[in-house]
Structure formats: structure tokens, C-alpha cells
């Protein structure tokens, strides 16, 4: 009886160890997939985006993590057909994956006072 109990316990331990290995592998694969998205924090405030120049590679998935500091600003990237309101107190994530090289202008499209027309930046996509 003791031998069959030991065999059962050893078999159960092997099954659990195998299941744990599979879970760890799939968690690692998921984490690696998530790490392929580069997060770029961007501050929006009267009358600027910081940084106002963002570089990305063709095919790279980036997440622009916007924080508005003083006002509900707008983010408009016309060449990518992207537009968001940037509300103070919230982090607004904008994910994109550029598919061609070039320099693309983004701007604030919510009037925020004198100097608003200069609130813009560039997304530079390199091959």
C-alpha cells in the first residue's frame, strides 16, 4: 500500500510540476508580447507637448501615454486618423503601429488660449 501511495504522490507531483511549467511559459510568452509595446509618456500643458518629437520604427507598436496637466487638450494625428481628448487627472493611452517611414505632425485641437496654435509635435517614423 505504501509503495502505491508513493507512486501516486510522485505522479501527482510530476503532473503539478508540468502544469506549473506550462503556466510559467505562457505567462512569460504573454509578458514578452506585452514588452514589444514601447510606452512613451507625453505631458500636455499650455502650450506644449513634452516631448514634442517622438521617434518610432516602422512596424514598432508604441503607446503614447498622455497626461494633461492643466486643461482638456486634444491630440490629433491626422495622417493616422487618430484623435483623442486628453482629460486632466487621467492617463490616456493611444496605441499605434506606423507602417511607413516619414515625419507626421500632431497637434492640440482643443483651443487652450493664446499660444494654442503652436501646440504641436512630430512623430518621426524611421525604417
Amino acid at each position: 500500500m505504501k509503495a502505491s501511495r508513493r507512486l501516486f504522490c510522485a505522479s501527482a507531483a510530476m503532473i503539478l510540476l508540468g502544469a506549473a511549467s506550462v503556466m510559467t511559459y505562457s505567462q512569460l510568452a504573454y509578458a514578452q508580447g506585452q514588452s514589444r509595446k514601447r510606452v512613451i509618456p507625453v505631458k500636455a500643458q499650455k502650450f506644449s507637448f513634452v516631448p514634442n518629437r517622438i521617434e518610432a520604427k516602422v512596424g514598432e507598436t508604441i503607446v503614447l501615454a498622455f497626461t494633461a496637466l492643466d486643461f482638456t487638450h486634444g491630440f490629433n494625428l491626422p495622417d493616422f486618423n487618430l484623435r483623442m481628448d486628453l482629460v486632466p487627472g487621467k492617463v490616456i493611452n493611444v496605441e499605434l503601429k506606423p507602417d511607413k517611414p516619414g515625419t507626421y505632425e500632431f497637434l492640440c485641437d482643443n483651443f487652450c488660449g493664446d499660444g494654442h496654435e503652436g501646440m504641436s509635435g512630430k512623430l518621426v517614423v524611421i525604417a
Side-chain angles (χ1 to χ4, degrees):
M1 190 74 167
K2 286 185 180 182
S4 72
R5 179 178 263 171
R6 271 191 232 136
L7 182 59
F8 172 77
C9 289
S11 297
M14 294 302 270
I15 290 169
L16 289 173
L17 183 60
S21 297
V22 168
M23 282 180 43
T24 302
Y25 176 76
S26 56
Q27 288 170 339
L28 179 61
Y30 177 77
Q32 286 176 339
Q34 292 292 27
S35 67
R36 291 187 184 140
K37 296 178 183 177
R38 183 166 53 109
V39 178
I40 303 166
V42 181
K43 304 263 188 243
Q45 63 187 18
K46 292 182 182 178
F47 302 101
S48 64
F49 290 104
V50 178
N52 66 352
R53 179 185 164 89
I54 298 168
E55 289 189 10
K57 295 178 183 174
V58 169
E60 175 186 24
T61 301
I62 60 172
V63 177
L64 304 176
F66 286 98
T67 305
L69 301 179
D70 55 7
F71 182 80
T72 300
H73 294 281
F75 170 75
N76 193 341
L77 183 58
D79 292 312
F80 287 79
N81 208 19
L82 285 173
R83 201 242 161 248
M84 298 292 287
D85 281 325
L86 311 176
V87 180
K90 289 186 173 183
V91 176
I92 306 296
N93 291 319
V94 177
E95 183 175 315
L96 64 136
K97 185 176 182 177
D99 60 354
K100 58 185 174 196
T103 300
Y104 307 96
E105 187 169 359
F106 58 87
L107 53 101
C108 174
D109 62 0
N110 286 344
F111 183 75
C112 52
D114 292 338
H116 163 76
E117 60 280 344
M119 189 169 175
S120 63
K122 295 193 183 315
L123 170 64
V124 179
V125 181
I126 52 179

